[in-house]
Amino acid sequence: MFPIFSELHQTEAQKKFRIHKVMGKINKRLKIIGKELGIPIILTTYVARHSQATVMKRAGVSTAVIREIMGHSSERVTQIYLDSFDDEQVNNALKSL
Protein backbone atom coordinates (compact mmCIF):
# COMPACT_ATOMS: atom_id res chain seq x y z
CA MET A 1 0.00 0.00 0.00
CA PHE A 2 2.75 2.43 0.98
CA PRO A 3 6.01 1.49 -0.73
CA ILE A 4 8.73 2.15 1.85
CA PHE A 5 11.47 -0.04 0.43
CA SER A 6 13.87 0.91 -2.33
CA GLU A 7 16.65 -0.98 -4.06
CA LEU A 8 18.81 -0.06 -1.04
CA HIS A 9 16.83 -2.36 1.24
CA GLN A 10 18.11 -5.80 0.29
CA THR A 11 18.75 -7.69 3.53
CA GLU A 12 16.25 -8.54 6.26
CA ALA A 13 18.20 -6.33 8.68
CA GLN A 14 17.96 -3.35 6.29
CA LYS A 15 14.23 -3.93 5.81
CA LYS A 16 13.66 -4.28 9.57
CA PHE A 17 15.54 -1.03 10.24
CA ARG A 18 13.56 0.76 7.51
CA ILE A 19 10.24 -0.42 8.96
CA HIS A 20 11.34 0.73 12.43
CA LYS A 21 12.34 4.15 11.07
CA VAL A 22 9.08 4.62 9.12
CA MET A 23 6.94 3.49 12.07
CA GLY A 24 8.73 6.04 14.26
CA LYS A 25 7.90 8.81 11.80
CA ILE A 26 4.27 7.70 11.52
CA ASN A 27 3.87 7.54 15.30
CA LYS A 28 5.44 10.99 15.70
CA ARG A 29 2.98 12.45 13.20
CA LEU A 30 0.01 10.61 14.73
CA LYS A 31 0.95 12.10 18.10
CA ILE A 32 0.86 15.60 16.57
CA ILE A 33 -2.49 14.95 14.88
CA GLY A 34 -3.99 13.64 18.11
CA LYS A 35 -2.76 16.66 20.02
CA GLU A 36 -4.18 19.07 17.42
CA LEU A 37 -7.54 17.30 17.56
CA GLY A 38 -7.57 17.28 21.36
CA ILE A 39 -7.66 13.49 21.61
CA PRO A 40 -6.90 12.58 25.24
CA ILE A 41 -4.63 9.61 24.39
CA ILE A 42 -1.39 9.49 22.44
CA LEU A 43 -2.15 8.15 18.97
CA THR A 44 0.15 5.43 17.64
CA THR A 45 -0.03 2.70 15.06
CA TYR A 46 -0.77 0.29 17.93
CA VAL A 47 -3.76 2.41 18.99
CA ALA A 48 -4.93 2.42 15.36
CA ARG A 49 -4.68 -1.41 15.18
CA HIS A 50 -6.49 -1.73 18.49
CA SER A 51 -9.23 0.63 17.33
CA GLN A 52 -9.65 -1.17 14.01
CA ALA A 53 -9.98 -4.58 15.67
CA THR A 54 -12.42 -3.23 18.27
CA VAL A 55 -14.63 -1.56 15.65
CA MET A 56 -14.67 -4.74 13.56
CA LYS A 57 -15.53 -6.90 16.57
CA ARG A 58 -18.37 -4.59 17.62
CA ALA A 59 -19.65 -4.57 14.02
CA GLY A 60 -19.95 -8.36 14.10
CA VAL A 61 -17.02 -9.16 11.81
CA SER A 62 -15.94 -12.77 12.28
CA THR A 63 -12.75 -13.58 14.14
CA ALA A 64 -11.48 -15.33 11.00
CA VAL A 65 -11.75 -12.12 8.98
CA ILE A 66 -10.22 -10.03 11.76
CA ARG A 67 -7.36 -12.57 11.98
CA GLU A 68 -6.68 -12.20 8.28
CA ILE A 69 -6.71 -8.40 8.41
CA MET A 70 -4.53 -8.24 11.53
CA GLY A 71 -2.08 -10.78 10.11
CA HIS A 72 -2.23 -13.09 13.12
CA SER A 73 -0.97 -16.64 12.80
CA SER A 74 -4.20 -18.19 14.07
CA GLU A 75 -7.73 -17.38 15.20
CA ARG A 76 -6.66 -18.26 18.75
CA VAL A 77 -4.10 -15.43 18.71
CA THR A 78 -6.80 -13.07 17.45
CA GLN A 79 -9.21 -14.22 20.15
CA ILE A 80 -6.61 -13.59 22.85
CA TYR A 81 -5.95 -10.14 21.32
CA LEU A 82 -9.68 -9.28 21.24
CA ASP A 83 -10.26 -10.65 24.77
CA SER A 84 -7.54 -8.34 26.10
CA PHE A 85 -9.64 -5.39 24.88
CA ASP A 86 -12.64 -6.65 26.85
CA ASP A 87 -10.50 -6.90 30.00
CA GLU A 88 -9.23 -3.38 29.42
CA GLN A 89 -12.78 -2.05 29.04
CA VAL A 90 -13.86 -3.74 32.27
CA ASN A 91 -10.87 -2.33 34.14
CA ASN A 92 -11.58 1.17 32.83
CA ALA A 93 -15.24 0.88 33.84
CA LEU A 94 -14.27 -0.24 37.35
CA LYS A 95 -11.83 2.67 37.71
CA SER A 96 -14.61 5.13 36.94
CA LEU A 97 -16.82 3.85 39.81
Side-chain angles (χ1 to χ4, degrees), residues 24-36:
K25 287 181 180 183
I26 291 169
N27 285 331
K28 184 177 179 180
R29 291 176 183 156
L30 284 171
K31 182 178 177 180
I32 292 167
I33 291 167
K35 205 175 218 181
E36 287 179 4

Side-chain angles (χ1 to χ4, degrees), residues 10 32 44 50 64 69 82:
Q10 297 294 317
I32 292 167
T44 64
H50 178 119
I69 291 169
L82 294 171

Side-chain angles (χ1 to χ4, degrees), residues 63-78:
T63 306
V65 171
I66 296 172
R67 182 205 67 79
E68 184 70 28
I69 291 169
M70 302 302 284
H72 292 154
S73 58
S74 71
E75 281 191 55
R76 181 72 188 130
V77 170
T78 304

